[in-house]
Amino acid sequence: MKSSPPRDFGSRRLAYINGCKDAFGIPAIILGSTYMGFGALVSETGLEIWHALLSSGINWAIPGQIATMELYAVDASLFAIAAAVALINCRLLPMTIVLMPHIRNKTTPKIAYYFMCNFIAVTGWAAAMRQCPLLPEEQRFPYFTGFVIPLWSICMLSTAIGYYLPGILPGEITMGLVFLNPVYFMLVFVADFTQPGRPTALILGAILGPLTFLLTPDWNLLITGLIGGTIAFYIAERQTRGKIRKVETE
């Protein structure tokens, strides 16, 4: 007999509301602060506020957005900026592929998935991967939507506020807000250490990152991710298959 999911909000509407509640906490504080820093960075670069809002609205991935501003500041070509952002954000493709089976259901129109792909970033992805598999199928997409839409809205507002911060707060403080995001991501992944492969991936990343940087600073992140991720995936597969065989023999 198929067991029921560990969590059940009772309806799609309540799933959406609970997604909103989960977003209006630490995720909102961290991302809001980060995007204040981004807004300040855009202001320091000399661009208009609508540039900042457009970047946060259609990109919503802070590493690519920061790269855009830094390359613009050194007068890089439009092609170089587009290529750099594309390479940075290509990490979102495998995240999307992994997430979709966990939020797809038979009643949601396909066009909704194409639209919501724009809102897949590390924070929303991590929350959905942690919560959606525990929910009934019809509540997963509403929960994800309820989590990411408020976060995106907060980031848009924070970008606008941050744009005017350089005239109010010291530059060191406003720029330092940007670095809250990586710290938060690390804490999120550390919280999932019980998942197969997660500890291996983080430990290998911490070890290989500095070593590959000494060999090739331009490619160290890609090489570290490829090697560490492949090894972690292989170990996780071995652990999962071992658990399945153990259950089958009992």
Side-chain angles (χ1 to χ4, degrees):
M1 181 180 296
K2 185 177 180 181
S3 60
S4 60
R7 297 190 68 182
D8 189 344
F9 294 121
S11 68
R12 295 166 61 91
R13 176 176 173 273
L14 290 177
Y16 180 89
I17 292 174
N18 277 273
C20 294
K21 290 180 179 179
D22 289 347
F24 284 108
I26 297 300
I29 294 172
I30 297 297
L31 281 183
S33 301
T34 299
Y35 273 84
M36 284 185 186
F38 173 72
L41 176 63
V42 177
S43 179
E44 293 287 343
T45 306
L47 293 173
E48 301 293 334
I49 187 172
W50 69 267
H51 291 112
L53 294 175
L54 183 65
S55 176
S56 294
I58 66 175
N59 194 340
W60 202 44
I62 200 67
Q65 293 178 251
I66 293 176
T68 301
M69 295 302 111
E70 291 181 343
L71 290 171
Y72 174 83
V74 297
D75 295 324
S77 66
L78 181 61
F79 176 80
I81 294 175
V85 174
L87 286 173
I88 293 172
N89 287 346
C90 68
R91 63 197 167 87
L92 301 176
L93 176 60
M95 290 169 56
T96 302
I97 294 173
V98 171
L99 177 62
M100 292 310 293
H102 294 291
I103 64 175
R104 185 184 295 119
N105 60 74
K106 299 176 181 178
T107 59
T108 302
K110 290 184 178 180
I111 189 65
Y113 297 118
Y114 291 109
F115 175 74
M116 290 304 299
C117 280
N118 182 63
F119 299 96
I120 294 179
V122 175
T123 304
W125 179 86
M129 290 297 296
R130 185 168 58 249
Q131 299 293 343
C132 288
L134 306 177
L135 297 173
E137 184 179 280
E138 68 278 3
Q139 296 179 22
R140 296 175 182 180
F141 187 75
Y143 177 87
F144 173 71
T145 304
F147 188 90
V148 297
I149 293 296
L151 277 185
W152 177 83
S153 302
I154 289 170
C155 290
M156 292 290 290
L157 177 62
S158 299
T159 299
I161 295 173
Y163 184 85
Y164 297 103
L165 280 183
I168 302 174
L169 296 177
E172 293 81 1
I173 295 179
T174 55
M175 291 299 103
L177 294 174
V178 175
F179 295 97
L180 288 175
N181 215 29
V183 175
Y184 173 68
F185 290 161
M186 179 62 68
L187 294 177
V188 168
F189 289 129
V190 168
D192 284 342
F193 251 40
T194 56
Q195 299 294 326
R198 300 285 176 84
T200 306
L202 288 174
I203 293 172
L204 287 176
I207 296 174
L208 294 175
L211 296 178
T212 54
F213 180 81
L214 295 175
L215 297 175
T216 170
D218 294 332
W219 295 92
N220 74 301
L221 287 179
L222 182 61
I223 294 173
T224 299
L226 181 62
I227 296 175
T230 301
I231 295 175
F233 177 80
Y234 177 74
I235 293 176
E237 283 291 297
R238 289 284 301 272
Q239 291 176 344
T240 302
R241 292 176 182 175
K243 291 179 180 178
I244 293 175
R245 285 196 295 265
K246 183 178 179 180
V247 171
E248 291 177 345
T249 55
E250 290 180 352

